[in-house]
């Protein structure tokens, strides 16, 4: 103990300040029980104070603007997963509407006329990037998140719309609704204009339909398309969802979110160490 007093006196004589354990040296605790949380509280508090300015410096201009505009409540940041699905879904829209484009023709030559995006089974697609795109899109359809009939043909003169295979009337293509008649059709890729002469519907069956179930289905088919009106415009694809005709990624994201997110989600809270107001002009 006497030695300790001597050491303290020597330190004072040398102009050094004496201290007792525990004390802080270079910002670190010395001589304390390091297993205790309270021993590190001083360091944690210092990191918290520095963390805000450190994170702000790493934010982009867009991120700083977002923090500036969103001072309370949720940040309204959409799900990246939903955004990715909406972008993938856009490939279907482009495949349908960019008819005649080189990349579309290449995909059709590899994966078939519908590229695996039709109503029939797509399991025969060759593996690759397009296969993954088709699988993702069909999962959205099969789960009911995006209805298959959201993509449909709006018929003008019927010159570019397949009578049986394209979805242009009802909730699904006519080949799905009337499979017996589709089997009897002699030209399964016929256009609507080949079945409508301007006044009457004309048919070309492999054999006459005189009675039975096939005749009943033919009557249902004729009743379905009896009052369909045609215009002189060209046929075109439409996005029949949300009251708009043109597909947009923003609308697709909204539809996916409405189908997948729970109701009454609380506002998300930004990191409490980031200030609510940020000056982006420095």
């Amino acid at each position: 103990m006497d030695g300790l007093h001597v050491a303290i006196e020597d330190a004072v004589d040398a102009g050094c300040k004496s201290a007792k354990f525990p004390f802080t040296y270079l910002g670190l605790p010395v001589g304390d029980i390091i297993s205790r949380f309270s021993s590190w509280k001083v360091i944690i508090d210092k990191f918290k104070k520095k963390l805000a300015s450190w994170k702000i410096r790493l934010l982009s201009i867009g991120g700083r603007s977002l923090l500036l505009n969103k001072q309370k409540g949720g940040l309204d940041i959409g799900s990246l997963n939903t955004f990715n699905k909406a972008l993938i879904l856009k490939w279907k829209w482009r495949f349908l509407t960019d008819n005649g484009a080189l990349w579309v023709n290449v995909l059709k030559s590899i994966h078939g006329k519908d590229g695996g995006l039709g109503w029939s089974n797509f399991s025969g697609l060759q593996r690759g990037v397009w296969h993954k795109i088709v699988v993702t899109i069909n999962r959205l359809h099969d789960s009911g998140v995006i209805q298959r009939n959201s993509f449909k043909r709006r018929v003008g003169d019927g010159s570019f719309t397949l009578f049986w295979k394209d979805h242009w009337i009802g909730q699904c293509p006519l080949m799905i609704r009337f499979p017996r008649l589709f089997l009897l059709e002699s030209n399964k890729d016929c256009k609507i204009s080949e079945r409508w002469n301007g006044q009457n519907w004309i048919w070309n069956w492999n054999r006459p339909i005189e009675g039975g179930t096939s005749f009943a289905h033919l009557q249902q088919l004729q009743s379905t398309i009896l009052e369909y009106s045609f215009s002189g415009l060209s046929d075109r694809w439409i996005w029949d969802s949300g009251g708009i005709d043109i597909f947009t990624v923003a609308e697709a994201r909204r539809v996916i979110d409405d189908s997948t997110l729970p109701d009454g989600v609380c506002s998300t809270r930004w990191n409490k160490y980031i200030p609510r107001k940020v000056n982006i002009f420095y």
Side-chain angles (χ1 to χ4, degrees):
M1 198 68 177
D2 292 337
L4 178 61
H5 287 297
V6 172
I8 293 176
E9 292 176 356
D10 292 341
V12 173
D13 293 338
C16 298
K17 183 179 178 181
S18 62
K20 296 180 180 180
F21 290 109
F23 63 89
T24 302
Y25 179 71
L26 297 178
L28 297 175
V30 177
D32 205 348
I33 302 176
I34 62 175
S35 60
R36 292 178 179 175
F37 176 79
S38 58
S39 302
W40 299 95
K41 188 175 184 304
V42 175
I43 299 177
I44 294 175
D45 291 341
K46 287 186 178 181
F47 269 93
K48 286 181 178 179
K49 292 179 181 179
K50 297 293 184 180
L51 194 59
S53 59
W54 173 70
K55 283 191 174 182
I56 292 171
R57 287 196 297 270
L58 294 180
L59 285 176
S60 64
I61 294 296
R64 296 178 185 184
S65 299
L66 182 63
L67 285 176
L68 181 64
N69 294 329
K70 298 294 181 181
Q71 297 183 16
K72 61 182 179 179
L75 292 174
D76 296 334
I77 301 177
S79 165
L80 293 179
N81 181 45
T82 299
F83 186 38
N84 181 56
K85 290 178 180 177
L87 289 173
I88 292 176
L89 197 63
K90 186 177 181 180
W91 281 106
K92 179 171 183 176
W93 174 256
R94 292 190 59 194
F95 181 88
L96 296 174
T97 57
D98 290 354
N99 191 28
L102 177 60
W103 71 274
V104 175
N105 291 332
V106 170
L107 288 176
K108 287 182 177 180
S109 65
I110 298 174
H111 302 288
K113 291 183 178 180
D114 63 0
L117 295 172
W119 290 66
S120 57
N121 192 345
F122 65 95
S123 59
L125 255 66
Q126 296 189 28
R127 299 286 173 173
V129 176
W130 186 251
H131 178 272
K132 295 180 180 179
I133 291 174
V134 172
V135 168
T136 301
I137 293 174
N138 280 283
R139 282 177 180 170
L140 289 173
H141 292 326
D142 295 339
S143 62
V145 174
I146 297 293
Q147 300 296 325
R148 287 185 183 272
N149 55 17
S150 297
F151 297 89
K152 65 179 359 177
R153 276 283 200 176
R154 177 163 291 175
V155 180
D157 57 9
S159 299
F160 299 99
T161 304
L162 299 179
F163 180 86
W164 295 101
K165 295 182 177 181
D166 283 338
H167 176 216
W168 60 278
I169 190 172
Q171 299 300 313
C172 62
L174 294 176
M175 70 173 186
I176 303 295
R177 186 174 178 183
F178 302 102
R180 286 176 175 265
L181 298 180
F182 181 66
L183 290 175
L184 294 175
E185 169 65 58
S186 60
N187 180 12
K188 293 178 172 50
D189 291 323
C190 62
K191 307 291 196 304
I192 293 179
S193 57
E194 298 177 70
R195 291 289 169 262
W196 174 251
N197 62 8
Q199 295 181 338
N200 300 300
W201 292 98
I202 53 179
W203 311 109
N204 187 8
W205 309 114
N206 290 326
R207 61 176 176 80
I209 299 177
E210 298 177 349
T213 304
S214 297
F215 183 76
H217 286 182
L218 177 57
Q219 288 182 314
Q220 294 176 18
L221 172 61
Q222 291 175 328
S223 176
T224 299
I225 62 178
L226 178 62
E227 298 181 358
Y228 194 89
S229 58
F230 299 92
S231 66
L233 303 175
S234 298
D235 301 346
R236 63 188 180 95
W237 285 97
I238 64 170
W239 164 251
D240 189 17
S241 180
I244 60 176
D245 290 348
I246 304 298
F247 176 89
T248 64
V249 172
E251 179 62 19
R253 290 181 70 180
R254 184 195 65 78
V255 174
I256 296 173
D257 279 340
D258 288 347
S259 300
T260 57
L261 293 181
D263 295 332
V265 178
C266 297
S267 300
T268 56
R269 191 175 81 173
W270 189 245
N271 192 313
K272 63 182 179 181
Y273 302 133
I274 296 292
R276 292 185 181 277
K277 295 183 179 181
V278 179
N279 181 10
I280 67 173
F281 304 105
Y282 70 85

